[in-house]
Amino acid sequence: MIKVLAAQIREFKKESILTPVFMILEVIFETLIPFLMASIIDDGVEAGNMRHIYMVGGLMIVMALAGLYCGIMGGKYGARASTGFARNLRQAMFENIQTFSFSNLDKFSTAGLVTRLTTDVTNIQMAYQMLLRMCFRAPISMICAMAMAFFINARLASVYLIAVLLLAIVLAFLIRRAMKYFQMAFPKYDELNASVQENVSAIRVVKAYVREDYETGKFKKASQGIYDIFLKAEKNVVLNMPVMQFTVYSCILLISWIGAKLIVQDMLKTGELMSLLTYCMNILMNLMMISMIFVMMSMSMASAKRVSEVLCEKSDLTNPDNPVCEVANGDIEFRDVDFSYYGDKDKAVLHDINLKIKSGETIGIIGGTGSAKTSLVNLISRLYDVTSGSVLVGGRDVREYDMESLRNQVSVALQKNVLFSGTILDNLRWGNENADEEECRRACRLACADEFIEKLPQGYNTYIEQGGANVSGGQKQRLCIARALLKKPKILVLDDSTSAVDTATDARIRKAFAQEIPDTTKLIIAQRISSVEHADRIIVMDDGCINGFGTHEELLENNEIYREVYESQTGGGGDFDEKAGEE
Amino acid sequence: MPGPMGRRMPRGKRIENPGKVFKRLIKYVAKNYGVHLIIVAALILVSVLANVQGTMFIQRLIDDYIAPLLLSDTPDFKPLAGAIFRVACFYAIGVVSAYTYNRIMINVTQGTLRNVRDDLFSHMQTLPVKYFDTHSHGDIMSTYTNDTDTLRQMISQSLPQVFNSAITVVSVFISMLVLSIPLTLVTLVMVAVMLLATRKVAGLSSRYFLQQQKDLGQVNGFIEEMMGGQKVVKVFCHEEANIRRFKELNDNLYHSADKANYLVNIVGPVNAQLGNVSYVVCAIVGGVLALSGISGLTLGELASFLTFNKSFNMPINQVSQQFNSIVMAMAGAERIFKMMDEVPETDNGYVTLVNVKEVNGELMESPERTGRWAWRHEHQADHSVDYVELKGDVVFDGVDFGYNDEKIVLHDVKLYAEPGQKIAFVGSTGAGKTTITNLINRFYDIQDGKIRYDGINVNKIRKADLRRSLGIVLQDTHLFTGTVMDNIRYGKLNATDEEVVAAAKLANADGFIRLLPQGYDTVLTGDGANLSQGQRQLLAIARAAIADPPVLILDEATSSIDTRTERIVQDGMDKLMKGRTTFVIAHRLSTVKNSDCIMVLEQGRIIERGTHDQLLEEKGRYYQLYTGNAIAT
């Protein structure tokens, strides 16, 4: 895991090495300074030697400046190394996600990917900076101070050594206990936030059933739970403080007492005693710091693990060695296709599918939820690979094509489609980057989207909010169809893409397809009989199998499911789905 | 102490009045923890004073205790031992009070965070639906997570730290003054330089910080949008373009983050080294003074002063490092208070819903459940009380409504629904169908006209009672984390298990529930993500069924359910509608056909009304919709 992350340091190796180097240098200057301070008092002030004060003072200022330089450089490289590392991590993850296949994406939730790219990376960035700047600094500072103390007086310094050992044991114990509670607390904390989210999105239900007080009660219970567990964790953390102070103070008093005796015996100078006392704080503060770093690092481990999961995920679809880049025509064939989402043969979603569709045909697909209509069409543009059997497009197995070429020729309007923030034209050009406005207009005309676009104040330059929040469901669907059309595909798949479009417009779109793009193979998944009844042939899906395949009349004649659906929807237009987009 | 994770700073502008926000925050903390805060302040004072005693001892250690020892031939260690014992006592007091105040602060911090969350949540429950419709859910969530988190650091660390530092600074300052005025001046000058440097760097860094937050916002926004649409990205082979755009945004973030972090990083070293310079300058000036004997400064005093110099710089350094977290907390607190200040739903209703029984042909209020309900109407003029039986008679009279005053969505809507009738609304999106249902239960209030419920103006009915009498099944079903049983019981909290099962049976939900792994005890998470759309809808119907309201508002699901499931759902809804006044936003022919009255809405007006047969004969808009020959306008 660490290796995977460390590989992303890349061009920031220099900074990552220089940061601790400068931090260590800063520490060395920092430890030398009290030594000089002592010298100012002992040899300068007490001896009444002004020259010495000037000289050592000057030296101290030089050292302070050098320390300042190192501190600034350490800060600079630390910032660069950590933010650069974070940038590389984000970039690497994002690039890897772009290679993900649908089944890779299914494995991670959208929210999960977003957190990994944002919060988790920020956590790692902070931990990394801490690691570079403090992880070396604190122990080195401690060791330096200790060395100086021993240099001044080994006997007195041994007091510190004992204190440090004792303190380290106690701190480690306390932190381990606190960590246990923290680890229990975080999931609960996430749960609490999830429940707020739930409440916010379901606020109409809450209010309709007058459950405000009930919800508040539920929330208060959860928030009290968090309070309790954080209290337990923090109680352990806060014990660090008195333990640490106790040790520091004991050291100071012990040193004073022993120091006084040594001075009387003329084995120690007064200035040296003062320096020793200064180092005392230094050593123990650093120990405290190390324990904090330890806590921070172990907390960011969870983030590191989540990030490396994304980095290590390999796309399960790969391009063949000598890919074919041309799709000959819009023929589609399924040969003995079985398909399951996790490669688990027992849970096959599609069984034994055999189909032959000729270029230019219009095929309707109908069937209940979970009958695997979407799974069927997703195989055509190789969004997933078959478990066994083969899918052929233009006479070749889809696995022989270059994926990008294949997907440019097989255009899909997904069931869960999205528009992106940007103008309508920007969105349309997802289909074809180089399309001029005229081409875009033509596509919109085919999709019957031109009528509402032209009524918008900014027309084709209207800005679409994220997720298409400012257009209605039916408008969104028509824009998505237009976007798919701009690819000028040989095969066009509409996965329940006109469900929010009224029946009349739906009919006009189908008519436009028949007249304007007769050579394109069109597959239309729908719930409405009216959307498919005029197709050349209709596939009836049931529980992952093809239950019937034929014309409207044939199916009415001999397919029970089709007849049943037809009867339930007959009578005029079938339903009153919104005449979308006419407002 | 879960680090400063994923901080998202100001969404947009700077804090308007940090002083006011700070005061209010302190007041808020003090409301529940006033005594705690006073004790903490006192303990901080004690611990600082105890510490100063310790420092004083070290100052005097040489002059008062060690120097005399050196002079005598038979050194007497007793005074030193006594002093050490005294100081040990002070230290003990210091340690105990430091621990105690830190321990109390945990309660204060965690308790305040809990109170903030509870207050936010319970206040949020009182806010009108409009608030949720006009604020992004992401922003609301962020108030609970990011903004509340900023307070943690601020209350637990910054507050005591600042107070502690202030006391230290003052007491050390006084001690310094006593020792030597000229040296104090020198120290002050150096402190001024430090503050100036900090301000300069902080000013620069806050500029980059804002830039960093802006860039971070852009990166996050892009990530959120693209991760949500990743499948579309794949289908359109847009990966390359995406990577290019991301690289651009990501590089921007790197540059501003690099600078912002760099500047924050150097505040510490700059101050520390300026502190060292201050020390040297004081040593030199003090040395000159002491040796020349001008100001009567002894060498021991100079040594003490130098220590004070160090302890004077330290708190200033510490406070400057807390600066960032205080600024962040102020921004967070501002948003928290803003939400707490949102105006709750107004409710001036005084008519309440009570159980009644009939005694001698008159309705009498009854404390126990009788299955019969009535509106208890206390007339404001003479305090006489009327009981009007709850029947489900709804009248709209000349209702105008708009989500904001500029744009009226409904014009002069008139409709009558007699108890038990079924009223269907048909029309295009945006015609105002959903809006009408928002008005009956007063999610929104109308601009003009009247809505009467059993002859009572709905404005006079207490909202809670009004809503309790109305059942609602929305198009987007929302379920809660919990078991299936809990979710159905949401409609009536004290329902028995048998009642729940009965309601599920009525809604045709019993069948699929029994097939779930744990049946009625199956836990639903993530808004019922493990169920199909149709199943979720069935649960919502069961939930409405158990509440057993006289009036129902139904929004039928659109086409994402297949015909078979739909028939089951439809059947469930039909059973639920029996004997209740029902308003249906209809998408299905069968629903519309057997309605008592169909309202055709167009651009906020009812343009046609009547039964199915009447409307067909009219050959108007309904006829067009029905025959599928509508001409797009």
Side-chain angles (χ1 to χ4, degrees):
Chain A
M1 180 176 86
I2 301 291
K3 243 190 200 163
V4 174
L5 294 187
Q8 296 306 327
I9 297 172
R10 284 185 289 177
E11 67 262 46
F12 298 102
K13 280 198 194 76
K14 188 185 90 187
E15 282 84 353
S16 299
I17 295 168
L18 282 178
T19 309
V21 169
F22 277 112
M23 294 319 287
I24 290 169
L25 286 177
E26 190 199 13
V27 161
I28 292 175
F29 288 122
E30 223 167 65
T31 6
L32 285 175
I33 283 173
F35 197 60
L36 297 179
M37 284 178 176
S39 170
I40 287 182
I41 292 180
D42 288 343
D43 308 329
V45 176
E46 294 202 338
N49 186 347
M50 264 325 271
R51 242 193 66 145
H52 187 82
I53 294 183
Y54 286 132
M55 255 180 56
V56 178
L59 189 63
M60 218 179 119
I61 290 192
V62 171
M63 283 201 166
L65 287 178
L68 180 63
Y69 173 76
C70 291
I72 289 179
M73 292 316 270
K76 182 178 161 181
Y77 287 130
R80 180 153 304 165
S82 59
T83 55
F85 181 45
R87 179 192 73 169
N88 288 350
L89 279 179
R90 270 192 298 266
Q91 193 73 32
M93 265 199 280
F94 192 84
E95 283 178 17
N96 200 34
I97 291 170
Q98 297 308 307
T99 70
F100 279 13
S101 70
F102 272 37
S103 54
N104 294 121
L105 288 171
D106 293 339
K107 226 188 295 179
F108 298 95
S109 70
T110 304
L113 286 176
V114 173
T115 331
R116 285 165 215 247
L117 275 162
T118 54
T119 317
D120 284 334
V121 172
T122 313
N123 286 345
I124 294 175
Q125 176 185 326
M126 289 188 182
Y128 190 60
Q129 171 141 297
M130 186 115 162
L131 179 86
L132 292 182
R133 299 189 64 222
M134 295 299 159
C135 216
F136 293 94
R137 190 184 197 280
I140 297 278
S141 173
M142 200 170 87
I143 291 168
C144 280
M146 196 77 97
M148 293 305 285
F150 271 93
F151 178 71
I152 292 171
N153 190 303
R155 239 179 89 193
L156 271 180
S158 55
V159 172
Y160 291 143
L161 200 61
I162 296 165
V164 164
L165 284 176
L166 278 176
L167 197 55
I169 292 168
V170 177
L171 287 185
F173 174 72
L174 287 175
I175 282 168
R176 262 184 65 131
R177 278 188 44 161
M179 281 302 288
K180 198 182 78 194
Y181 288 116
F182 277 130
Q183 266 152 13
M184 274 156 67
F186 287 127
K188 285 219 162 173
Y189 190 55
D190 290 345
E191 260 171 48
L192 184 83
N193 292 332
S195 79
V196 176
Q197 178 127 43
E198 189 171 277
N199 179 277
V200 170
S201 60
I203 192 72
R204 279 188 151 78
V205 178
V206 173
K207 291 207 168 262
Y209 285 100
V210 201
R211 291 285 175 264
E212 290 96 333
D213 292 340
Y214 172 74
E215 289 286 314
T216 306
K218 216 162 73 178
F219 182 85
K220 279 195 172 158
K221 220 165 95 192
S223 96
Q224 180 68 32
I226 301 246
Y227 168 81
D228 291 338
I229 199 157
F230 266 108
L231 212 60
K232 270 189 198 146
E234 298 268 12
K235 263 188 204 165
N236 283 293
V237 174
V238 86
L239 269 174
N240 285 345
M241 187 82 171
V243 170
M244 151 96 187
Q245 280 187 339
F246 175 79
T247 322
V248 171
Y249 292 151
S250 311
C251 282
I252 289 177
L253 294 178
L254 260 175
I255 301 265
S256 304
W257 176 250
I258 303 173
K261 292 212 157 170
L262 287 176
I263 290 175
V264 170
Q265 291 162 24
D266 209 13
M267 288 166 71
L268 187 75
K269 280 187 264 182
T270 48
E272 287 175 345
L273 178 62
M274 294 312 279
S275 322
L276 273 176
L277 289 173
T278 317
Y279 288 131
C280 168
M281 271 312 244
N282 196 334
I283 290 171
L284 298 169
M285 278 303 233
N286 276 307
L287 188 64
M288 193 77 170
M289 191 62 139
I290 293 171
S291 72
M292 291 286 289
I293 295 171
F294 184 74
V295 173
M296 287 289 277
M297 294 297 275
S298 47
M299 280 182 179
S300 65
M301 271 312 171
S303 289
K305 195 168 149 232
R306 287 152 55 86
V307 166
S308 72
E309 269 169 20
V310 174
L311 286 175
C312 293
E313 180 79 13
K314 288 251 166 5
S315 173
D316 50 12
L317 296 184
T318 45
N319 258 341
D321 287 336
N322 297 304
V324 181
C325 291
E326 260 321 297
V327 178
N329 55 44
D331 285 347
I332 302 167
E333 191 181 344
F334 280 69
R335 282 189 196 154
D336 305 322
V337 169
D338 281 350
F339 171 67
S340 63
Y341 278 99
Y342 303 105
D344 180 357
K345 280 228 165 178
D346 298 332
K347 287 188 182 165
V349 192
L350 287 170
H351 309 273
D352 201 22
I353 303 285
N354 282 290
L355 268 182
K356 261 191 174 171
I357 296 167
K358 282 198 293 294
S359 198
E361 263 190 306
T362 301
I363 303 292
I365 302 174
I366 206 155
T369 5
S371 62
K373 304 182 295 285
T374 301
S375 310
L376 181 79
V377 296
N378 277 347
L379 297 179
I380 301 172
S381 53
R382 205 184 166 205
L383 297 175
Y384 295 92
D385 265 344
V386 294
T387 311
S388 69
S390 54
V391 176
L392 286 77
V393 167
R396 279 173 178 275
D397 192 308
V398 288
R399 284 167 289 197
E400 289 172 29
Y401 288 107
D402 169 58
M403 274 190 279
E404 187 166 341
S405 312
L406 176 70
R407 286 176 193 162
N408 278 330
Q409 294 303 316
V410 183
S411 192
V412 190
L414 295 172
Q415 191 175 8
K416 284 183 184 160
N417 225 328
V418 273
L419 294 174
F420 296 90
S421 47
T423 65
I424 290 184
L425 278 181
D426 290 343
N427 267 288
L428 291 172
R429 284 186 182 134
W430 272 61
N432 174 6
E433 266 180 80
N434 307 315
D436 58 31
E437 204 166 325
E438 197 35 56
E439 283 178 78
C440 293
R441 279 175 199 278
R442 181 175 169 266
C444 287
R445 231 178 359 257
L446 277 176
C448 292
D450 55 336
E451 46 199 45
F452 81 85
I453 297 174
E454 276 154 20
K455 275 193 208 154
L456 296 169
Q458 263 96 50
Y460 284 84
N461 291 313
T462 305
Y463 194 84
I464 303 284
E465 303 291 335
Q466 185 176 340
N470 53 344
V471 286
S472 76
Q475 291 171 338
K476 201 155 81 180
Q477 287 189 332
R478 283 178 280 171
L479 282 175
C480 289
I481 295 175
R483 180 172 64 181
L485 280 173
L486 269 170
K487 278 192 175 175
K488 301 211 185 76
K490 296 212 163 66
I491 298 170
L492 176 67
V493 180
L494 302 182
D495 189 354
D496 211 2
S497 303
T498 55
S499 58
V501 177
D502 65 286
T503 29
T505 313
D506 189 18
R508 287 197 300 137
I509 296 174
R510 270 180 281 118
K511 205 171 134 198
F513 282 178
Q515 287 169 355
E516 306 273 338
I517 45 168
D519 300 332
T520 303
T521 313
K522 290 151 292 247
L523 283 90
I524 300 170
I525 297 182
Q527 296 290 351
R528 279 195 296 229
I529 289 281
S530 65
S531 301
V532 296
E533 66 181 326
H534 302 292
D536 296 324
R537 283 188 293 168
I538 300 158
I539 300 170
V540 180
M541 294 294 295
D542 183 47
D543 200 21
C545 298
I546 294 178
N547 186 276
F549 188 22
T551 63
H552 175 67
E553 288 72 23
E554 285 166 13
L555 290 172
L556 264 192
E557 190 83 7
N558 54 30
N559 188 289
E560 198 185 323
I561 295 178
Y562 190 79
R563 200 163 48 234
E564 193 184 317
V565 176
Y566 178 77
E567 277 160 11
S568 75
Q569 291 186 9
T570 37
D575 64 2
F576 285 91
D577 269 332
E578 40 272 71
K579 282 269 307 133
E582 258 54 71
E583 65 268 40
Chain B
M1 174 230 41
M5 296 182 184
R7 281 179 184 164
R8 224 194 267 179
M9 255 256 294
R11 294 183 292 275
K13 50 186 197 300
R14 317 186 70 147
I15 319 161
E16 271 164 29
N17 193 341
K20 223 168 104 192
V21 175
F22 186 79
K23 249 193 229 155
R24 188 164 170 195
L25 181 64
I26 298 296
K27 239 190 222 161
Y28 185 87
V29 178
K31 198 176 70 199
N32 289 297
Y33 293 99
V35 182
H36 292 71
L37 282 189
I38 293 169
I39 295 174
V40 165
L43 287 171
I44 291 180
L45 193 66
V46 169
S47 89
V48 170
L49 290 180
N51 260 330
V52 169
Q53 285 298 319
T55 325
M56 295 287 274
F57 160 73
I58 295 176
Q59 316 312 325
R60 295 210 310 268
L61 178 64
I62 294 169
D63 279 5
D64 293 4
Y65 301 104
I66 296 183
L69 291 177
L70 292 174
L71 295 177
S72 86
D73 294 332
T74 50
D76 177 15
F77 282 95
K78 269 204 191 105
L80 179 61
I84 283 183
F85 178 72
R86 263 202 322 278
V87 174
C89 291
F90 278 121
Y91 274 150
I93 294 170
V95 170
V96 169
S97 52
Y99 170 71
T100 317
Y101 87 70
N102 274 299
R103 178 66 192 76
I104 295 175
M105 273 321 273
I106 295 178
N107 281 27
V108 174
T109 310
Q110 293 297 334
T112 303
L113 289 181
R114 181 196 57 197
N115 292 344
V116 165
R117 287 194 195 105
D118 287 357
D119 285 355
L120 273 177
F121 192 86
S122 58
H123 185 74
M124 186 174 86
Q125 298 305 303
T126 69
L127 296 179
V129 170
K130 185 172 190 162
Y131 177 83
F132 300 91
D133 287 349
T134 50
H135 288 76
S136 101
H137 291 181
D139 280 354
I140 297 176
M141 281 312 296
S142 169
T143 312
Y144 283 90
T145 52
N146 298 330
D147 296 341
T148 314
D149 272 344
T150 59
L151 293 189
R152 186 202 316 274
Q153 170 115 14
M154 151 96 190
I155 299 173
S156 70
Q157 287 173 31
S158 307
L159 265 191
Q161 179 70 263
V162 169
F163 190 66
N164 193 333
S165 301
I167 294 177
T168 314
V169 164
V170 170
S171 61
V172 172
F173 183 69
I174 292 170
S175 320
M176 287 202 308
L177 270 183
V178 170
L179 278 174
S180 165
I181 293 172
L183 283 184
T184 310
L185 287 178
V186 172
T187 310
L188 277 185
V189 169
M190 287 312 290
V191 166
V193 172
M194 274 163 77
L195 288 180
L196 218 68
T198 309
R199 247 188 77 171
K200 183 102 187 121
V201 176
L204 264 176
S205 82
S206 75
R207 217 173 65 208
Y208 285 113
F209 244 99
L210 284 178
Q211 183 62 36
Q212 178 195 304
Q213 295 309 328
K214 222 177 100 200
D215 292 340
L216 187 62
Q218 283 194 343
V219 167
N220 286 356
F222 185 78
I223 288 173
E224 267 168 51
E225 180 161 14
M226 287 311 153
M227 289 304 113
Q230 193 59 40
K231 290 198 172 176
V232 178
V233 172
K234 291 250 70 126
V235 166
F236 282 94
C237 305
H238 221 258
E239 297 94 336
E240 293 291 326
N242 249 1
I243 290 175
R244 277 202 306 275
R245 176 86 187 114
F246 184 73
K247 191 163 169 42
E248 216 175 281
L249 295 174
N250 195 16
D251 282 352
N252 287 344
L253 172 60
Y254 158 64
H255 288 301
S256 54
D258 178 23
K259 291 211 181 68
N261 274 292
Y262 164 50
L263 288 166
V264 169
N265 283 350
I266 65 173
V267 173
V270 166
N271 277 337
Q273 302 306 340
L274 280 176
N276 283 334
V277 172
S278 168
Y279 185 94
V280 173
V281 172
C282 280
I284 291 172
V285 175
V288 172
L289 286 178
L291 291 180
S292 64
I294 299 171
S295 62
L297 187 75
T298 68
L299 293 176
E301 277 169 355
L302 174 59
S304 315
F305 190 91
L306 289 179
T307 325
F308 279 135
N309 174 287
K310 240 189 128 134
S311 26
F312 193 63
N313 293 335
M314 205 143 76
I316 290 175
N317 211 340
Q318 281 168 343
V319 170
S320 73
Q321 297 201 351
Q322 297 291 337
F323 190 73
N324 234 337
S325 89
I326 294 176
V327 170
M328 293 247 223
M330 286 304 109
E334 195 193 27
R335 281 190 296 267
I336 288 174
F337 288 135
K338 195 166 158 250
M339 184 154 155
M340 287 186 182
D341 290 342
E342 287 288 339
V343 185
E345 232 177 326
T346 49
D347 186 6
N348 301 319
Y350 52 89
V351 175
T352 52
L353 194 61
V354 292
N355 270 296
V356 286
K357 58 186 174 203
E358 207 168 319
V359 183
N360 305 330
E362 264 194 59
L363 293 173
M364 293 281 287
E365 199 171 331
S366 151
E368 69 261 21
R369 288 182 65 93
T370 54
R372 280 184 78 177
W373 296 86
W375 300 107
R376 183 180 187 279
H377 192 163
E378 185 179 336
H379 293 277
Q380 281 169 322
D382 53 0
H383 294 286
S384 62
V385 177
D386 268 359
Y387 291 98
V388 180
E389 181 148 21
L390 174 68
K391 290 205 180 95
D393 187 339
V394 178
V395 176
F396 276 54
D397 190 8
V399 169
D400 284 353
F401 171 75
Y403 288 95
N404 48 44
D405 290 334
E406 295 99 65
K407 203 183 160 201
I408 297 296
V409 197
L410 290 179
H411 306 270
D412 195 26
V413 171
K414 288 196 179 75
L415 64 89
Y416 324 91
E418 276 160 34
Q421 275 195 332
K422 183 157 122 192
I423 313 288
F425 295 100
V426 289
S428 32
T429 326
K433 290 170 299 187
T434 311
T435 309
I436 287 189
T437 59
N438 269 335
L439 301 181
I440 301 175
N441 53 18
R442 290 190 68 202
F443 279 167
Y444 284 90
D445 277 331
I446 54 178
Q447 260 86 349
D448 199 11
K450 258 184 195 143
I451 302 175
R452 289 180 179 280
Y453 191 160
D454 288 330
I456 306 165
N457 187 335
V458 286
N459 289 338
K460 291 187 186 166
I461 302 175
R462 224 175 60 172
K463 275 187 180 169
D465 291 307
L466 172 68
R467 288 175 189 162
R468 208 178 302 144
S469 73
L470 296 162
I472 198 165
V473 179
L474 297 168
Q475 192 176 322
D476 316 314
T477 9
H478 288 290
L479 299 173
F480 296 89
T481 304
T483 63
V484 170
M485 189 77 95
D486 293 340
N487 267 289
I488 298 178
R489 199 174 270 146
Y490 204 81
K492 182 181 166 195
L493 295 179
N494 54 3
T496 61
D497 288 2
E498 288 71 34
E499 284 179 283
V500 170
V501 175
K505 278 188 177 145
L506 178 79
N508 281 351
D510 185 64
F512 92 83
I513 295 173
R514 288 190 190 283
L515 292 179
L516 293 174
Q518 270 90 44
Y520 280 88
D521 295 324
T522 307
V523 175
L524 304 178
T525 51
D527 210 355
N530 32 1
L531 299 178
S532 78
Q533 174 67 22
Q535 291 169 332
R536 290 151 42 100
Q537 196 127 30
L538 290 177
L539 285 186
I541 296 170
R543 183 167 65 188
I546 204 163
D548 194 20
V551 177
L552 265 182
I553 302 166
L554 296 180
D555 199 343
E556 285 187 332
T558 37
S559 47
S560 44
I561 310 183
D562 67 274
T563 320
R564 280 177 170 182
T565 319
E566 191 203 316
R567 195 174 300 161
I568 299 172
V569 173
Q570 194 60 53
D571 189 47
M573 283 205 181
D574 285 342
K575 281 199 260 175
L576 183 61
M577 284 186 238
K578 213 162 272 167
R580 300 176 213 271
T581 313
T582 314
F583 296 92
V584 204
I585 297 171
H587 303 290
R588 301 289 164 205
L589 187 69
S590 53
T591 319
V592 183
K593 251 184 176 166
N594 59 26
S595 302
D596 296 293
C597 187
I598 301 163
M599 306 274 170
V600 184
L601 276 162
E602 196 71 62
Q603 293 180 345
R605 293 173 201 277
I606 297 180
I607 54 166
E608 288 169 29
R609 76 177 78 212
T611 62
H612 175 71
D613 296 334
Q614 284 169 349
L615 289 178
L616 274 191
E617 239 163 71
E618 272 180 34
K619 294 232 156 88
R621 181 77 180 141
Y622 181 79
Y623 178 82
Q624 288 176 349
L625 284 168
Y626 177 70
T627 53
N629 293 326
I631 296 144
T633 44

